[in-house]
Amino acid sequence: MKTLQLLFFTFCYFLFSTTCFGQIKSMGFSQKIEESSYFPKLQIINNTLFVCSNTGIYQKDMMKDTDWELYAFENSPVIEFVKNGNNLIAVSMGEWNETDNLILVSNDDGKTYSERKMPYHSEDGKNCFRRIVQNPLNKKTLLIVDERTSGLFRSQDFGNSWTDLSPFGFINPVTFTAYHPLDTTTIFYSGETGFLAGTILKSTDSGITWTEYTVSGGDNCVHQIDFHPTNPNILVFGGEGIIGKSMDKGETWTINKLDQSGMYFYKVLFDKKNPETLYASGIYGSENNKRVYIYRSTDTGENWHLAYRELLDIDCGGIIDMVQYKNRLIFYTREGLFELDLETTPRLSNPKITVVPELTISQNPIDNTLYFNTELNVNRIEIRDVAGRIFQQNTISVNERSIDVSGLATGVYLAVFHTGQQCISKKIFILK
């Protein structure tokens, strides 16, 4: 009898633990990312997963049960890299600030490397690199983005020389560039204008001329674009509370407003084997975020629903990058890597988007006074720069709906509104 009871309780424990605990699993890579402006990337090459991190690039063979191994650029905070045989080029955070990033070059598969300066830079001689990408049909041809100068540069000899392709206009921040994988004469370049409007620039002649497309919806930023694996006309992008879709190769865009999600979508990707299915994720404009959320579309990006969510016991900060490998989604958070099995993970029974109470800025750009409207009981407001540094704090009463910001210089900031239960972030532009 005791044996049967023991078996029964063992079965109940196993059943409880496998159904009530979360579905995502740690991948054993747990480097903490504390720098808020550092967004390192994931990349899969020939069944090997590469992770750019605080201390270099690490690799793991996805076909075998192997440990993580240091691959290249030891002790350098790498953002992104490209590879041509044993030749590697990476963009790095340099001295952990936004004002002087580096290009790292290796000719022996990352064992040794040197630093290289770009011939193009801002007036003070510094750069702020955000992306480096490769022409999928010609590995020697590269694009690099310099946010500090709003610059876009091309190399056709794997980084030995560079040509300035910078489009017209001012974009800050610049968040993305890529060759269209099915038509590499077409280049996309996106981000946000100085007045907080999302923007996409497109060239159909390899960067000689450019056309600009402003994203509707006001305050936004086009963080990333993904391309349908077989239809060159279908594109999607991730923005701030929105996901955009084009059916004509980026000439026009329809906007799916998911503002109530509160998410900054940093990654939207097509399922390469089933491209009618897409996944999207990112981070929320709030602090102490211990949740990961995945949104899904099953009709090629027309409609979206919340497909998966999980509360973690760590302050992961949301998802800063995501790739798919076979039936798994792999997430990069500020607390490490996790994976989700798409075949065994149940769909949410109630896949509704969690509504974030509305808070709006009455006037943006702002000169000396920040006015806002909300039904929330805001008790404190912090003004931060994009790197997270606090420039101003105000404690306010329940009925107050404005604060003095006359002491702030011209620039882009985050206004973080605290209610006691949550906080909501809004981008503001101070213009004196």
Side-chain angles (χ1 to χ4, degrees):
M1 185 67 178
K2 290 183 178 179
T3 302
L4 289 176
Q5 288 177 333
L6 179 61
L7 288 173
F8 175 76
F9 285 119
T10 301
F11 172 77
C12 290
Y13 173 80
F14 175 78
L15 181 65
F16 177 82
S17 64
T18 55
T19 57
C20 293
F21 289 161
Q23 299 294 313
I24 68 172
K25 298 178 181 179
S26 172
M27 295 188 68
F29 188 89
S30 56
Q31 281 197 24
K32 188 177 181 64
I33 300 173
E34 296 182 346
E35 177 64 40
S36 61
S37 62
Y38 178 48
F39 285 79
K41 303 297 181 183
L42 302 174
Q43 190 173 168
I44 295 177
I45 304 174
N46 297 329
N47 295 310
T48 297
L49 175 62
F50 294 91
V51 182
C52 297
S53 78
N54 301 332
T55 58
I57 303 172
Y58 288 79
Q59 64 178 356
K60 181 180 181 66
D61 188 335
M62 299 296 286
M63 300 291 287
K64 303 176 183 178
D65 185 18
T66 58
D67 293 330
W68 290 97
E69 296 179 348
L70 179 68
Y71 171 62
F73 305 121
E74 184 175 6
N75 296 323
S76 290
V78 179
I79 301 172
E80 191 168 26
F81 79 101
V82 292
K83 176 177 171 64
N84 183 24
N86 290 332
N87 300 310
L88 304 177
I89 298 181
V91 289
S92 168
M93 284 293 288
E95 297 299 324
W96 283 113
N97 60 62
E98 296 184 58
T99 59
D100 194 15
N101 295 9
L102 303 171
I103 295 177
L104 308 178
V105 179
S106 173
N107 298 314
D108 55 8
D109 216 23
K111 296 180 179 62
T112 61
Y113 64 93
S114 59
E115 299 175 359
R116 183 178 298 175
K117 281 285 188 178
M118 282 283 288
Y120 306 97
H121 46 70
S122 58
E123 292 182 357
D124 60 4
K126 297 181 178 181
N127 296 102
C128 182
F129 301 120
R130 279 292 178 260
R131 297 294 303 266
I132 184 168
V133 299
Q134 208 163 21
N135 184 325
L137 301 182
N138 183 349
K139 291 187 176 182
K140 290 185 178 181
T141 301
L142 314 175
L143 296 173
I144 194 169
V145 165
D146 182 4
E147 183 177 299
R148 192 170 175 82
T149 63
S150 295
L152 177 65
F153 309 100
R154 180 181 65 197
S155 174
Q156 295 178 297
D157 53 11
F158 205 72
N160 291 316
S161 61
W162 296 88
T163 301
D164 189 351
L165 299 183
S166 303
F168 59 88
F170 174 73
I171 300 179
N172 185 30
V174 183
T175 58
F176 178 83
T177 190
Y179 288 97
H180 193 305
L182 301 178
D183 175 13
T184 57
T185 62
T186 300
I187 301 172
F188 289 89
Y189 173 88
S190 69
E192 183 176 49
T193 68
F195 292 96
L196 308 184
T199 185
I200 297 172
L201 290 99
K202 174 185 174 182
S203 173
T204 59
D205 53 14
S206 299
I208 298 173
T209 60
W210 294 88
T211 303
E212 183 174 13
Y213 305 89
T214 300
V215 174
S216 62
D219 179 10
N220 215 291
C221 182
V222 178
H223 293 296
Q224 171 259 351
I225 299 173
D226 200 29
F227 305 87
H228 192 285
T230 59
N231 188 332
N233 294 316
I234 302 178
L235 288 68
V236 294
F237 76 75
E240 296 175 2
I242 67 174
I243 295 176
K245 178 182 178 181
S246 176
M247 294 293 292
D248 53 13
K249 211 174 179 180
E251 293 297 310
T252 60
W253 295 86
T254 57
I255 305 300
N256 195 323
K257 291 190 175 182
L258 299 174
D259 298 88
Q260 66 270 34
S261 73
M263 174 167 283
Y264 284 17
F265 289 98
Y266 281 108
K267 196 62 175 284
V268 182
L269 55 87
F270 285 93
D271 186 315
K272 297 300 186 287
K273 290 186 176 181
N274 304 289
E276 71 278 2
T277 298
L278 297 92
Y279 300 97
S281 192
I283 64 176
Y284 279 79
S286 61
E287 297 172 337
N288 301 319
N289 191 349
K290 295 186 177 182
R291 292 177 172 85
V292 293
Y293 292 79
I294 301 295
Y295 293 83
R296 178 197 286 120
S297 171
T298 56
D299 55 8
T300 322
E302 290 295 318
N303 298 284
W304 292 84
H305 64 273
L306 180 60
Y308 180 81
R309 61 172 174 254
E310 183 166 338
L311 175 65
L312 304 182
D313 60 357
I314 53 175
D315 190 3
C316 68
I319 296 173
I320 60 176
D321 198 19
M322 178 171 68
V323 295
Q324 184 179 359
Y325 178 75
K326 296 185 178 180
N327 65 331
R328 290 182 281 176
L329 284 181
I330 299 170
F331 316 140
Y332 202 172
T333 77
R334 297 194 178 277
E335 292 283 347
L337 262 63
F338 300 88
E339 61 180 347
L340 177 68
D341 190 322
L342 297 172
E343 293 183 355
T344 61
T345 300
R347 293 171 180 263
L348 289 177
S349 58
N350 183 23
K352 292 182 179 179
I353 296 173
T354 303
V355 176
V356 176
E358 186 173 356
L359 187 149
T360 59
I361 305 297
S362 303
Q363 178 181 324
N364 210 0
I366 299 164
D367 48 14
N368 294 314
T369 304
L370 166 62
Y371 297 97
F372 63 96
N373 297 313
T374 186
E375 295 181 0
L376 295 168
N377 294 323
V378 177
N379 53 50
R380 180 164 56 93
I381 301 174
E382 294 173 349
I383 306 297
R384 301 168 176 257
D385 66 5
V386 292
R389 295 177 292 248
I390 297 176
F391 277 68
Q392 180 176 317
Q393 295 189 68
N394 293 79
T395 300
I396 65 173
S397 63
V398 173
N399 296 321
E400 282 186 276
R401 290 295 179 265
S402 66
I403 60 170
D404 181 11
V405 291
S406 58
L408 298 176
T410 294
V412 178
Y413 299 86
L414 285 178
V416 183
F417 298 83
H418 295 261
T419 68
Q421 289 75 41
Q422 63 178 319
C423 56
I424 298 173
S425 298
K426 293 287 184 178
K427 280 184 301 181
I428 61 173
F429 184 66
I430 306 294
L431 181 63
K432 297 299 181 67

